[in-house]
Amino acid sequence: VYTKLAEEAKPKLARDIVVSAGSILAFFFLIFFPLSRQNIEYPSPSLYSAIEESIYNRYVNGHEVDEEQASQYLRDCVGYLCEKNGIDSVNVYLVKSNQINAFAYCGRNMVVFSRLVEKCDSENELLSVIGHELGHIERDHVRESVKKNVGISVLFSVIFGNTSGIMTEMTTNHLSRKAEREADTLSVRYLYNADIDPTGFATFMGKLLDGSITDNIGFFSDHPATQERIDRCREQVARYAHKEYKTFLDEE
């Protein structure tokens, strides 16, 4: 009896498998095809603005460094790189934090943590980090990340259920590494165009390898391998014509 029932169920099982597979493929198409269209504003500007406000309130509002001179120097550094590379103005905030980190976010904004500044031994190290974040802003990596992460979260929550968090993290980390490599390349270009020694990024990252930076590291999380980034930076610098570099900040 059971054998007979199993034989009768085979066509229905095959049909169910085809329908399920087709549904999954259709869902992939419905999610990723709109995200790939450049003329579609997704997520909506209102959501994008809400994210910008949320990040400001969480990381900046009430956390900025009290020393105005330090904040002004940082703004001058950003303004100098923007001017030398034909980049529109960017808002930059120097905030108090023990984490070694900096990041760009919605609306042409950049946050630099005070601990990261303290770990920079030269101005070209600091300017290289700034150049990296400018690269994210100029290539609109933040908006692209929001677009893709929203779609991926919805997709994986439907297909993988409780494992969606893990799957989303794996995918967004891959997207992040691709963006980081592009921002690294742009940082070297921006500093070279501004007559600042572009090797600062390699020397700053080298501190991670030699143990000079070991606590509360945020800048390197979810990024490509550190040695790979150092090698790529040095290779790119070697391709540029030699020039006399100058300093931007005074010794004080």
Side-chain angles (χ1 to χ4, degrees), residues 11 17 20 35 37 45 49 52 62-63 68 84-85 87 91-92 110 132 134 145-146 172 178 180 188 230 233 237 240:
I17 292 174
S20 298
L35 294 182
R37 297 287 298 276
S49 297
E52 178 182 351
H63 302 289
E68 174 58 26
K84 293 298 182 179
N85 287 277
I87 298 173
N91 302 314
V92 58
M110 181 191 307
H132 176 91
L134 284 177
S145 177
V146 171
T172 54
K178 181 179 179 181
E180 296 304 329
V188 173
I230 293 173
C233 174
V237 172
Y240 285 119

Side-chain angles (χ1 to χ4, degrees), residues 199-219:
T199 60
F201 202 69
T203 58
F204 184 74
M205 289 188 293
K207 296 176 183 180
L208 184 64
L209 294 180
D210 65 21
S212 301
I213 297 178
T214 57
D215 57 333
N216 294 318
I217 302 168
F219 188 71

Side-chain angles (χ1 to χ4, degrees), residues 61-74:
N61 193 19
H63 302 289
E64 290 188 78
V65 169
D66 296 329
E67 179 54 58
E68 174 58 26
Q69 187 180 33
S71 297
Q72 185 58 53
Y73 272 136
L74 186 62

